[in-house]
Amino acid sequence: MTELSHLPATPRTGLRRWYRGRPALPAKRVQFDQPLLPWLFLMPQLAVIFVFFYWPSAQAISSSFYLEDPFGFGATFVGLENYGAALGSGEYRKIAGFTALFTLLVTVFSLGLGLLFAVKADKIIRGRATYRTALISVYAIAPPVAGLMGMMLFDQHIGPFVTLAGWFGWNMQVGIDYWDTAFALVLVSVWKQVPYNFIFFLSGLQGIPASVREAALIDCRNGLTRFRTAILLLLAPTAFFLLIINITYALFDTFAVIDVMVKDKPANNPITLVYKVYSDGFRGNDIGGSAAQSVILMVVVLILTLVQFRWLERRVHYG
Amino acid sequence: MASIQITNLSKTYPGASGPSVADINLSIRDGEFIVLVGPSGCGKSTLLRMVAGLEDITGGEIHIGDRLVNRVDPADRDIAMVFQNYALYPHMTVRENMAYGLKNRKTPAAEIEARVAEAARMLELRPYLDRKPRALSGGQRQRVAMGRAVVRQPAAFLFDEPLSNLDAKLRVSMRGEIRRLQKRLGTTSLYVTHDQLEAMTLADRLVVLNGGRIEQIGAPLDIYHRPASTFVASFIGAPAMNLLDAEIAGGTLRLGTVEIARIATAAQGPVSLGIRAEDLSIATQGLPFRLDFIEELGAQRLVHGHVEGQPLTLSLSPDIAISDQMHLAIRPGALHLFDTNTGKRLSLPESERQQIHAPA
Ligand SMILES: Nc1ncnc2c1ncn2[C@@H]1O[C@H](COP(=O)(O)OP(=O)(O)OP(=O)(O)O)[C@@H](O)[C@H]1O
Ligand SMILES: [Mg+2]
């Protein structure tokens, strides 16, 4: 019979080969008795990718060229007009700006705090399990629930954060004041993502052999320099992986948090591009415009990912 | 370069029932090569790591040079350590690995370059300077680890079983290399191993550890010829020293029914009798020996058998004829007597012994 174990774990696509600029490793050749059999094995995976990615993407791209009648009575071809409308709109550009800032802040803080906690937890010997469980358990909370908790924490009347800010003379008005809301969104999004980064950084730290750390202890007196030059660089593969995951998280997965926190609030609230795609399409019934925005977003993410792989991955040491 | 003074040093790990290292006193002269040897778990690494500063000290003091280092950072102790698994930084090239410790000590770049080049020349690492450790063989990695220690020009080298991950042949050649390097640099060295052959060949002085305590300190040959206890006797030397149950009665040392020697002592009762395999020879009369089997080692053969119901091994030249029943003689002055209960050596002046079955 055929041996599936000979199939490479991750197929190297043409795209990967292209941006790497060198030929892919030759995959091991396997002879199948029936030529259709491998396709049969691949079917479920291909079906999932097709149904949940290619088909909707194709739909979005095609819709983005039409002006759809909100009541379902046909569509008019408008060319690039939807794109022009989106990119030309001041509101769209403001949201794009906020999205960039939001993504930057969420990524930097959740990576930074995750790393900080991991380094601290790594040093603890007594009560290690309890401490870790406490940090990790936040990850089990579903995003809408996290949003709900955030809403309570920042509630105008009962929110402890509002009270806390009040002590410092900050009249915090989440849901009303633009920047106060932005602050709350970033905080809840970071809080939700830190445990994920913590888990990966911690296991990365524990993958560094004790003797290498001890050698560094002898070679370098300054703790901060030692961490930067000997430990952090060994964590680079983990950090690179998390960077991509965190940017994706900030761009897309914070949707539920934003939705819960700004849904029923007055209009002038910070939202990200994904949320705008949703609200234009499903609330405003502007299917064409919404589709054009989602295509723009797709292209941005594609470029971002390619840049990361091309420029960053090379500098990362994979031990 | 410096001396190392270890005073009443002990270590109890948190939660452990007893000390892992207890009451160690050791005075290492400048430039001396000291080997710590002992069975697994006897506290060799713990002792070494306390000197390095990687392990807290429970009690006692360590001086490197004139300086008390109990509370000094590992980086400030002026020592360099070579680890069993090399502990190279995987993300740095060989050159960067060697330069790292110097760079962090603000050594001028030209000086770093000169020292790295010199170490690379001595250790024949020049072709590999720009490679990452993962692209090196085990022996090459070992040499990089040595180079990293050498470039530092520290007061002392600390080695924790640096050769145990290498194959037997490489181990022998690296052993020679370490010895040569240490002689040439004259750096005080503390070397941990559980391999008694490595210990014998490298050491100026050997420290035999047992259960966290020093069993004996001395030059390798002194320890070989005058082991302080049955533990040392059985640990140092291959094959291990024969230890037999014997008895002193009325000034005579007996092994079962055979009289071995007359000893002018008032002591009575059971003793442990130690005889090295090479101190036994075939004779016309003496200890009755029954042959069990022979191990051929090429240059010599190990002959295993029984004397008076107790196992005994002797080492003979291959061209000596052997039969199933033989008589053995003991080389004069090669008897070691130990207290049966404590295992400690019983010192009896040589003149007071008189061997009965000496070879003609
Ligand atoms: N971190 C630790 N916590 C508790 N006990 C320890 C620790 N490290 C070592 N020990 C104990 O201390 C004793 C001495 O250990 P050590 O590592 O010094 O032995 P060793 O002589 O180096 O042995 P080996 O030849 O196997 O390396 C052992 O009984 C060991 O179980
Ligand atoms: Mg050890």
Side-chain angles (χ1 to χ4, degrees):
Chain A
M1 257 311 282
T2 50
E3 279 207 50
L4 272 180
S5 59
H6 283 177
L7 288 171
T10 40
R12 293 180 177 259
T13 63
L15 183 65
R16 203 179 153 89
R17 198 179 321 156
W18 165 77
Y19 70 71
R20 285 290 213 144
R22 49 184 137 95
L25 293 173
K28 226 178 210 170
R29 289 202 175 275
V30 182
Q31 284 299 319
F32 285 93
D33 305 337
Q34 298 123 315
L36 285 181
L37 196 63
W39 292 105
L40 189 69
F41 286 135
L42 281 174
M43 263 324 279
Q45 178 74 27
L46 289 177
V48 166
I49 293 176
F50 182 79
V51 171
F52 290 102
F53 182 71
Y54 288 111
W55 190 59
S57 304
Q59 283 277 304
I61 292 169
S62 80
S63 308
S64 69
F65 298 115
Y66 288 87
L67 187 61
E68 206 129 345
D69 185 286
F71 303 103
F73 300 119
T76 328
F77 183 81
V78 292
L80 290 173
E81 211 168 274
N82 285 326
Y83 290 92
L87 293 173
S89 133
E91 191 208 356
Y92 184 85
R93 282 195 299 234
K94 183 180 170 193
I95 292 175
F98 176 73
T99 307
L101 180 68
F102 177 79
T103 306
L104 182 76
L105 290 176
V106 169
T107 307
V108 167
F109 281 109
S110 39
L111 280 176
L113 289 174
L115 181 61
L116 182 71
F117 290 149
V119 169
K120 294 295 174 198
D122 188 45
K123 285 191 185 142
I124 289 185
I125 296 165
R126 213 166 291 185
R128 169 182 277 180
T130 325
Y131 187 58
R132 283 181 196 167
T133 313
L135 272 167
I136 291 169
S137 56
V138 177
Y139 189 61
I141 298 170
V145 178
L148 218 61
M149 289 168 77
M151 218 165 69
M152 309 256 277
L153 290 172
F154 288 102
D155 184 89
Q156 209 53 54
H157 307 291
I158 57 161
F161 277 116
V162 177
T163 314
L164 186 72
W167 292 348
F168 295 94
W170 179 3
N171 178 23
M172 194 188 268
Q173 292 179 305
V174 173
I176 297 165
D177 183 273
Y178 184 88
W179 289 112
D180 287 356
T181 314
F183 174 79
L185 285 182
V186 169
L187 199 112
V188 175
S189 305
V190 167
W191 172 72
K192 178 78 189 73
Q193 184 66 2
V194 163
Y196 184 87
N197 297 340
F198 169 77
I199 296 170
F200 276 91
F201 276 131
L202 187 62
S203 71
L205 277 172
Q206 296 184 335
I208 301 176
S211 58
V212 171
R213 293 178 190 219
E214 287 173 350
L217 216 55
I218 293 172
D219 273 344
C220 182
R221 182 183 204 290
N222 185 303
L224 222 61
T225 312
R226 188 168 61 233
F227 180 76
R228 197 170 47 76
T229 52
I231 308 295
L232 197 58
L233 283 176
L234 289 175
L235 281 182
T238 311
F240 175 67
F241 162 77
L242 285 178
L243 180 68
I244 295 176
I245 296 290
N246 277 263
I247 289 178
T248 318
Y249 164 81
L251 282 175
F252 298 107
D253 298 350
T254 48
F255 175 85
V257 172
I258 297 172
D259 188 45
V260 172
M261 290 184 73
V262 307
K263 188 161 49 184
D264 306 319
K265 302 284 158 52
N268 179 36
N269 269 320
I271 56 170
T272 59
L273 286 174
V274 166
Y275 197 75
K276 184 165 166 55
V277 168
Y278 163 80
S279 68
D280 282 7
F282 293 88
R283 298 245 186 87
N285 275 334
D286 176 11
I287 303 295
S290 164
Q293 289 175 28
S294 74
V295 172
I296 295 172
L297 206 54
M298 202 152 70
V299 171
V300 168
V301 171
L302 188 71
I303 292 171
L304 218 58
T305 310
L306 284 183
V307 166
Q308 283 174 345
F309 269 101
R310 187 154 175 87
W311 297 113
L312 266 177
E313 199 195 17
R314 294 211 167 164
R315 297 166 181 269
V316 172
H317 155 81
Y318 285 104
Chain B
M1 267 153 273
S3 60
I4 299 175
Q5 190 73 40
I6 296 172
T7 323
N8 299 328
L9 190 69
S10 65
K11 168 81 187 179
T12 308
Y13 283 103
S17 54
S20 292
V21 164
D23 208 23
I24 299 281
N25 284 289
L26 181 61
S27 171
I28 304 173
R29 286 187 296 273
D30 186 9
E32 202 173 14
F33 200 122
I34 293 282
V35 176
L36 298 173
V37 67
S40 185
C42 71
K44 308 179 293 286
S45 299
T46 305
L47 176 52
L48 190 79
R49 291 164 54 79
M50 279 195 281
V51 177
L54 299 174
E55 210 73 72
D56 288 336
I57 293 168
T58 311
E61 292 184 344
I62 298 175
H63 286 83
I64 298 178
D66 311 324
R67 197 162 55 124
L68 177 69
V69 294
N70 281 36
R71 306 210 159 275
V72 175
D73 237 48
D76 292 336
R77 291 195 181 192
D78 200 13
I79 46 102
M81 184 149 168
V82 180
F83 295 83
Q84 176 173 358
N85 60 1
Y86 321 134
L88 301 177
Y89 308 114
H91 59 297
M92 298 184 197
T93 62
V94 169
R95 188 194 304 278
E96 289 164 342
N97 261 284
M98 292 203 270
Y100 183 65
L102 295 174
K103 216 183 276 171
N104 289 321
R105 285 177 176 78
K106 307 268 182 297
T107 313
E111 168 86 17
I112 295 180
E113 202 172 318
R115 287 202 208 175
V116 169
E118 170 64 9
R121 193 188 57 75
M122 270 195 301
L123 291 159
E124 292 162 24
L125 283 170
R126 259 189 293 196
Y128 315 111
L129 277 177
D130 293 312
R131 285 205 205 165
K132 296 265 173 75
R134 87 194 116 153
L136 299 176
S137 72
Q140 290 160 348
R141 285 178 207 189
Q142 176 56 49
R143 277 215 274 277
V144 178
M146 293 279 305
R148 194 167 63 177
V150 166
V151 293
R152 289 263 325 280
Q153 302 182 356
F157 289 139
L158 306 176
F159 299 90
D160 193 352
E161 309 204 16
L163 304 182
S164 54
N165 283 359
L166 303 178
D167 68 59
K169 199 169 164 205
L170 199 54
R171 207 176 308 165
V172 173
S173 71
M174 278 305 290
R175 193 167 78 197
E177 208 160 321
I178 288 181
R179 188 68 180 132
R180 211 168 42 242
L181 207 65
Q182 196 270 345
K183 276 270 159 289
R184 179 156 147 204
L185 301 171
T187 309
T188 313
S189 300
L190 196 53
Y191 187 106
V192 162
T193 181
H194 59 247
D195 180 340
Q196 59 93 20
L197 190 63
E198 211 169 286
M200 293 282 289
T201 49
L202 280 174
D204 290 329
R205 275 195 302 158
L206 266 183
V207 177
V208 185
L209 287 175
N210 181 19
R213 291 171 193 279
I214 293 184
E215 195 82 17
Q216 188 172 7
I217 306 180
L221 285 181
D222 287 347
I223 289 185
Y224 185 82
H225 292 303
R226 288 186 62 79
S229 63
T230 47
F231 175 83
V232 179
S234 57
F235 194 78
I236 300 292
M241 182 187 279
N242 295 296
L243 289 170
L244 307 164
D245 292 330
E247 194 177 23
I248 299 178
T252 308
L253 175 68
R254 291 171 186 280
L255 184 65
T257 56
V258 186
E259 287 189 0
I260 305 282
R262 267 189 263 292
I263 295 173
T265 174
Q268 300 278 352
V271 290
S272 291
L273 168 63
I275 311 166
R276 292 243 178 246
E278 68 271 22
D279 290 334
L280 290 159
S281 56
I282 298 174
T284 48
Q285 54 166 336
L287 288 170
F289 177 82
R290 213 187 65 242
L291 176 74
D292 288 341
F293 65 95
I294 299 172
E295 282 180 295
E296 297 288 357
L297 300 181
Q300 56 170 353
R301 51 169 48 150
L302 295 181
V303 180
H304 299 269
H306 279 81
V307 163
E308 292 288 311
Q310 300 190 55
L312 186 85
T313 303
L314 62 153
S315 135
L316 294 174
S317 162
D319 40 70
I320 294 176
I322 292 175
S323 61
D324 274 3
Q325 301 281 347
M326 298 181 290
H327 289 276
L328 302 182
I330 304 164
R331 193 169 64 76
L335 293 181
H336 305 266
L337 293 180
F338 302 97
D339 188 299
T340 314
N341 296 316
T342 63
K344 294 280 171 258
R345 186 180 188 86
L346 298 173
S347 57
L348 298 169
E350 203 66 26
S351 58
E352 293 177 20
R353 294 184 191 173
Q354 184 194 345
Q355 226 129 337
I356 294 177
H357 294 298

